Amino acid sequence: MDGEVDGETERAARLLAAQAQAAELFTEVDRRGLIAPGRGERAVSDDIRDLAHDLFGADRHWHKRIVRAGPNTLQPYRQNPPDRIIDADDIVFCDFGPIFEGWEADFGRTFVLGDDPVKHRLVADLPAVFEAGQRFFEESPDVTGAQLFATVERLTAGAGWVYGGPHAGHLVGEFPHATVDGAQIENYIADGNDRPMRRADRAGRRCHWILEIHLVDPERGFGGFYEQLLDLGG
């Protein structure tokens, strides 16, 4: 039993360390002004990739790198909108999954370049909806993926936005976690996943989750994105 506890403690510590590096990466992206008017989304993505390598030696990402600006921020993960040049008053989000020493991070943040108050309100609402969803998870020991997804949709509507994706997160772990459980619905915070989120995966390890929040304003033509670890805090 002690070995199992020690192993899970080490897994949690590694996942939190990977997330801390991802947060530091995004802080440096902002400090260096990599997201700027006149730059293309792909060019910014490549710069962030190179910065992750320079700062942390990360040379792999477990999912595609995403930088989206303006109307492209309405699109969910699986879409591949054409490269767009960032405007002076754009909203831009980044979704990166760097691998740090064999452990997956999955981190998303949104930036506003201009003074549009609605865009700034959306960016402020992203962590608020995340934290409310996290509280629901913490207070619901037997919560299922479907129940948490319904809660995120309710919180989104309560804040005056539309939810922009088919799910609100997924499993995360040692790379490549996808080879353990594949792409089945039970591995997502989504409608149709009626399994408890607090469970072991097929390898017998405790499931750890990413919660992602994608708020959109279809009428105004923009959205924002925020994601990080759900069950480990940090």
Side-chain angles (χ1 to χ4, degrees):
M1 179 66 70
D2 288 344
E4 293 179 8
V5 171
D6 290 343
E8 287 298 337
T9 300
E10 176 68 12
R11 290 183 73 229
R14 292 295 190 100
L15 286 168
L16 285 168
Q19 175 164 284
Q21 289 180 302
E24 185 177 346
L25 171 66
F26 276 40
T27 297
E28 192 66 12
V29 166
D30 192 29
R31 189 187 72 82
R32 297 189 184 203
L34 297 186
I35 300 170
R39 306 204 68 211
E41 294 166 331
R42 291 177 187 169
V44 173
S45 175
D46 288 346
D47 282 351
I48 297 174
R49 175 202 62 198
D50 294 344
L51 184 60
H53 175 78
D54 293 344
L55 292 178
F56 305 110
D59 56 7
R60 292 187 297 172
H61 296 256
W62 70 270
H63 68 66
K64 68 181 180 181
R65 295 173 284 111
I66 291 177
V67 174
R68 291 186 181 160
N72 285 353
T73 59
L74 295 172
Q75 300 299 319
Y77 171 83
R78 292 190 181 277
Q79 299 302 312
N80 295 292
D83 189 36
R84 184 176 184 279
I85 301 301
I86 298 170
D87 284 339
D89 64 346
D90 257 341
I91 189 168
V92 182
F93 77 69
C94 303
D95 175 9
F96 276 65
I99 302 167
F100 298 111
E101 298 181 0
W103 292 83
E104 300 167 348
D106 202 3
F107 206 72
R109 289 294 188 268
T110 301
F111 307 85
V112 179
L113 301 185
D115 298 323
D116 187 320
V118 181
K119 292 174 182 175
H120 280 279
R121 180 170 68 85
L122 185 145
V123 169
D125 283 345
L126 285 164
V129 172
F130 179 97
E131 290 164 9
Q134 189 176 49
R135 284 195 299 273
F136 177 81
F137 174 84
E138 292 170 349
E139 295 167 0
S140 308
D142 300 319
V143 65
T144 67
Q147 289 169 337
L148 182 53
F149 182 64
T151 297
V152 168
E153 288 190 311
R154 175 179 57 80
L155 292 167
T156 298
W161 309 105
V162 174
Y163 196 75
H167 65 81
H170 50 79
L171 289 175
V172 69
E174 300 92 330
F175 179 77
H177 84 267
T179 63
V180 176
D181 279 11
Q184 297 159 358
I185 192 65
E186 67 188 35
N187 305 319
Y188 289 87
I189 301 170
D191 189 32
N193 179 8
D194 295 322
R195 293 197 65 192
M197 295 179 66
R198 291 179 176 87
R199 66 177 195 268
D201 65 21
R202 293 180 183 177
R205 299 169 298 194
R206 184 178 303 168
C207 287
H208 293 297
W209 296 89
I210 290 290
L211 178 62
E212 57 185 59
I213 305 299
H214 187 192
L215 307 181
V216 302
D217 187 331
E219 291 185 3
R220 292 183 176 90
F222 63 80
F225 188 77
Y226 185 101
E227 71 172 340
Q228 62 187 47
L229 286 163
L230 165 67
D231 58 303
L232 293 176

